[in-house]
Amino acid sequence: MLLARLSFVVLVIAAVHYAHAKIVIDEQSYSSSKECSLSKNPFDQQHRHSPPKGPSDPTFLKDLDEWRELLIGGVRRTYQDIRQLPGEQPFRIHGKPKLVWPGPRCSAVFKKGQLRIAATIHRHRNDPDGNNKVYLAVDKVTNKRYAFKVFAKVDEFEAEKGFLSIADHPNIAKPVCWTGGERPGLMTEWVEGGVKSGRWARKQQSFDPLRTITAQVLSVVIYTHWLGYLHSDLKPDNILIDAKGNAVVVDWGFAERVEEAIPHRGTPSTYPPEKAGVVVVNPVNGELVTSSESDGSWQAALHEGADFWSLAMTVLGWCGSLVLESVGSPDRYHPIRRRREDGRYEFEKCSMVIPEQFRSFAHILTAPNPLDRRLVTERQLDFIQSHPLFDGIDWSELGPVF
């Protein structure tokens, strides 16, 4: 009888001890009345609340702070000196990035009729003709396989082709050739055994493999920013896992120069509040306010912090928190949400099933103020790479050594 009563109450106490000196933990814990189930299904019996209504909703920041407190697991943390300090320079390539791929046309690489389309890998089920498509192309002579992406929009083709022509990272698929026309195409290396990372993550028996691919994708993000670019659409579907368990970041059609970043570019479920137009930063004092509280002249702070937010959303998605698209309207913004049976999206209130180190990592990268997650200096990058989540990771083995 006692056990039956106890089954209705779940008490979560998170005691966290980090060895790394840069992460300071205030051990003053707090008890939350919003308890949640630790069942195998992370979405069973969870407490949720209505989502923010959009840019005009003054409670957005309060709701986001409440969600982040639950994410951190009952232990309040303070982080020392994360924000870029006056005089600190971004860790950025000097001068123009070097061209590493000359960009030949496919007609110069393959003879006419040498390639055959063996299968359709991806197309949008709701709009099969108006969106990008990805095909499996096979060389009839060598039997080598390639991924051939046909673009619906020329600007996305130019963005992806332009970035891949300067990128050289082991976790980025290398380009092979391209075709022109109204629906241009780009051929890249085939990712052997490649499966979308979300599907791969659901089959894992432990969280250990997620540590490695999180480090690999973080390496790609740092490298991308070093080149002066944003990916702008990081999400589980845009990360493949190859046959050896390595992450490969794909779909660079939204890649953009940092100084040319624009709002609403990416996927609403994973881009940050400043890209959704929900919040803006006061240019005078750096404080964050909702769009409805600004005078209309302040611009959204769009920079590297956007990719770090999207990385946090991706990692939480791997760990079991559903990250779904909004209902199509840019004023319905929800950082972590799931759709109820009635079709309404709501905040995910419970993340306790996710290991503490993953939640701590995501907590850092979901700071409401983008200035607090714009990690661009060597000191800041050393801070995030030294997070306990990456204990045992040899960063020299993950991509270029700068």
Side-chain angles (χ1 to χ4, degrees), residues 116-360:
R116 66 180 179 89
I117 300 299
T120 301
I121 305 302
H122 169 78
R123 65 178 176 181
H124 200 287
R125 61 180 178 221
N126 295 327
D127 188 9
D129 297 321
N131 287 271
N132 302 335
K133 301 180 180 66
V134 182
Y135 301 96
L136 166 61
V138 180
D139 186 333
K140 297 177 183 178
V141 178
T142 64
N143 210 35
K144 190 174 182 178
R145 296 187 292 181
Y146 302 92
F148 184 65
K149 181 176 181 180
V150 177
F151 292 79
K153 298 180 179 180
V154 175
D155 63 331
E156 292 183 16
F157 163 75
E158 294 291 349
E160 185 155 347
K161 176 175 173 286
F163 177 79
L164 292 182
S165 68
I166 61 172
D168 185 14
H169 191 286
N171 299 103
I172 298 177
K174 291 179 171 53
V176 177
C177 62
W178 61 277
T179 61
E182 293 183 1
R183 297 288 298 265
L186 183 64
M187 185 172 293
T188 60
E189 296 176 330
W190 179 255
V191 179
E192 293 296 338
V195 61
K196 289 183 179 180
S197 62
R199 183 185 305 173
W200 172 86
R202 288 193 293 269
K203 296 181 180 180
Q204 302 309 301
Q205 300 301 310
S206 75
F207 286 93
D208 287 341
L210 300 182
R211 293 175 61 253
T212 300
I213 66 170
T214 299
Q216 291 175 342
V217 177
L218 176 59
S219 174
V220 171
V221 170
I222 293 173
Y223 175 72
T224 302
H225 296 171
W226 177 74
L227 290 174
Y229 280 78
L230 305 178
H231 182 283
S232 295
D233 199 20
L234 279 175
K235 58 183 179 180
D237 281 357
N238 286 343
I239 300 168
L240 303 179
I241 309 299
D242 67 16
K244 296 181 180 180
N246 294 312
V248 180
V249 180
V250 298
D251 202 346
W252 294 86
F254 284 161
E256 53 190 340
R257 296 283 301 178
V258 173
E259 60 271 16
E260 298 173 357
I262 60 176
H264 304 295
R265 188 173 179 88
T267 301
S269 60
T270 53
Y271 62 42
E274 65 270 17
K275 274 215 165 187
V278 177
V279 297
V280 294
V281 176
N282 186 327
V284 177
N285 57 23
E287 293 183 357
L288 189 73
V289 298
T290 58
S291 298
S292 60
E293 297 174 294
S294 73
D295 62 4
S297 64
W298 300 346
Q299 300 296 316
L302 303 178
H303 46 57
E304 296 88 345
D307 275 350
F308 284 114
W309 174 286
S310 298
L311 175 58
M313 298 297 103
T314 298
V315 171
L316 291 174
W318 290 336
C319 292
S321 287
L322 290 180
V323 182
L324 303 174
E325 292 186 11
S326 67
V327 293
S329 175
D331 64 351
R332 289 180 57 85
Y333 176 73
H334 327 291
I336 291 289
R337 58 198 180 277
R338 83 183 288 270
R339 186 166 56 185
R340 301 190 312 188
E341 293 181 359
D342 61 5
R344 186 177 181 181
Y345 287 85
E346 295 191 337
F347 262 105
E348 283 295 347
K349 295 290 290 183
C350 175
S351 299
M352 294 306 193
V353 73
I354 302 174
E356 186 276 334
Q357 291 180 346
F358 285 93
R359 289 187 279 114
S360 170

Side-chain angles (χ1 to χ4, degrees), residues 12-18 25 27 29 72-75 77 356 359:
V12 181
I13 302 177
V16 184
H17 299 281
Y18 278 173
I25 299 175
E27 295 185 359
S29 61
I72 204 59
V75 176
R77 290 170 174 73
E356 186 276 334
R359 289 187 279 114

Side-chain angles (χ1 to χ4, degrees), residues 83-94:
R83 186 178 288 196
Q84 184 177 356
L85 299 176
E88 280 190 309
Q89 297 300 313
F91 184 57
R92 188 78 60 81
I93 188 173
H94 296 291

